[in-house]
Each structure stands twice: as C-alpha cells, then as structure tokens.
C-alpha cells in the first residue's frame, strides 16, 4: 500500500471494513487510524442514518450508487457467511438504522455494477475525478481499491495536495 504514494489505495473486508490504507487514501478520505475499528466500516459511513451529520461519504458524487454497491456487497457476503455474527449484527444495525439500506436490501440484488470513475469533493482541494480500480482477493474475501487520476489532468494536480498535507487539519478551530 505504501509503495503506491501517487495513488490512494485501501483494502476492505467482506463486511466493508477498511483494513489497510496508504497516506493518500487517508488524506483524500479520512484518517482511518483515528477511528475505532467499528467506525472504519464503509457501510456504516455511507448510509443515511448511520453517518455523522448525514453528510455524503467523502463528498463522493455518486453516493446513491455507492449505497447500492454497499447493499449488494453485504448481501453477497451475508450469503457466503450466514453464521458470521459480526455480519449479522452489521446488517441488522443497518436495516434498523437506515431506511435507504432497508429499501436496497429488500431488492435482493447481489451483482455489483462496476464503477470506473468517481468524483470526490475534498474540503480543501475541491473536486477531483479519479479512476477506481478494484482487485478482488477472493481467497481472503478482501478487495484492494486504487484511485488514480489521469496523467496531467486537473484531478492529478488536485490529488497532490492531500498527498502533501495527509490528515492534517487546516481549520482554525483547533
């Protein structure tokens, strides 16, 4: 992960827990190391009723599509691991805490639509559109996600600042 300094990269589990990340992913998204393990879950962070202040996850422009991917990935994982108590607890929590998740869960969809591009709205840098590549590690039920910007694009320039500032806060309220 850390050998990819020009790209934001993270690893997620079948339950969408963020297991590993590099510095640019932390700068672009959030400092996962500052969160308790429970809060490093993208499903909890992405769905209305489960995220602080109801804000859209990391300013992604396709938050609704992301919520659909979350529900589909969790449904697939729940079918694969019916006796996993953490999976059961997570889906139960999301079903009772998020009307959107309950609606998406009721669709019974399992296939995940590809997401070749995603736009983030970084609080300091502004918008940046990146390519999203995902590699499934099926033997571990993990996924490596790498975000890259086109060479010479404004988004590549925009990604340079989070790489430099990392997870430092730049507000005056500290």
């Amino acid at each position: 992960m850390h050998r990819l300094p020009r790209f934001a990269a993270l690893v997620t589990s079948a339950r969408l827990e963020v297991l590993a990340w590099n510095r640019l992913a932390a700068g672009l998204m959030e400092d996962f190391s500052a969160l308790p393990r429970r809060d490093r879950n993208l499903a909890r962070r992405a769905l209305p009723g489960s995220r602080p202040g109801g804000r859209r996850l990391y300013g992604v422009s396709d938050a609704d599509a992301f919520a659909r991917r979350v529900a589909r990935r969790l449904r697939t994982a729940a079918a694969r691991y019916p006796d996993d108590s953490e999976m059961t607890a997570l889906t139960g929590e999301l079903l009772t805490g998020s009307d959107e998740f309950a609606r998406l869960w009721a669709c019974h969809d399992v296939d995940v639509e590809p997401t070749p591009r995603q736009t983030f709205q970084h609080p300091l840098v502004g918008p940046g559109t990146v390519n999203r590549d995902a590699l499934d590690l099926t033997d571990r039920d993990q996924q490596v996600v790498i975000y890259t910007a086109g060479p010479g694009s404004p988004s590549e320039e925009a990604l340079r600042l989070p790489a430099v500032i990392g997870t430092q806060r730049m507000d005056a309220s500290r």
Side-chain angles (χ1 to χ4, degrees):
M1 300 295 292
H2 299 290
R3 291 182 175 177
L4 300 170
R6 293 182 34 225
F7 311 121
L10 53 91
V11 177
T12 60
S13 71
R15 288 187 296 269
L16 292 171
E17 299 164 305
V18 178
L19 303 173
W21 57 91
N22 66 4
R23 179 180 165 99
L24 185 51
L28 180 64
M29 300 168 87
E30 71 183 305
D31 184 3
F32 296 105
S33 68
L35 300 173
R37 177 182 173 249
R38 180 189 188 287
D39 293 342
R40 293 179 192 165
N41 185 286
L42 294 180
R44 284 189 179 104
R45 315 262 325 144
L47 292 155
S50 59
R51 65 178 169 261
R55 70 177 170 79
R56 285 299 199 192
L57 181 70
Y58 311 122
V60 294
S61 60
D62 65 341
D64 294 333
F66 185 80
R68 284 192 305 275
R69 284 193 308 277
V70 163
R72 289 172 176 178
R73 281 198 56 201
L74 288 180
R75 180 168 284 290
T76 300
R80 188 174 299 130
Y81 302 108
D83 299 325
D84 182 326
S85 61
E86 288 186 62
M87 178 65 74
T88 302
L90 174 62
T91 55
E93 172 191 329
L94 294 171
L95 284 166
T96 59
S98 171
D99 292 339
E100 181 178 4
F101 182 76
R103 180 183 56 78
L104 293 168
W105 188 260
C107 293
H108 297 279
D109 291 336
V110 292
D111 56 330
V112 178
E113 59 202 35
T115 306
R117 297 178 64 81
Q118 194 160 12
T119 300
F120 287 89
Q121 179 67 39
H122 191 277
L124 298 174
V125 178
T129 300
V130 293
N131 300 314
R132 180 187 178 277
D133 295 298
L135 171 65
D136 289 315
L137 305 174
T138 54
D139 62 327
R140 296 183 181 173
D141 232 348
Q142 297 175 354
Q143 188 175 67
V144 177
V145 181
I146 300 173
Y147 297 101
T148 61
S153 70
S155 292
E156 182 184 46
E157 292 295 319
L159 275 179
R160 288 184 183 167
L161 184 57
V164 172
I165 63 173
T167 58
Q168 295 177 51
R169 291 186 51 172
M170 302 301 232
D171 60 5
S173 65
R174 278 185 117 182

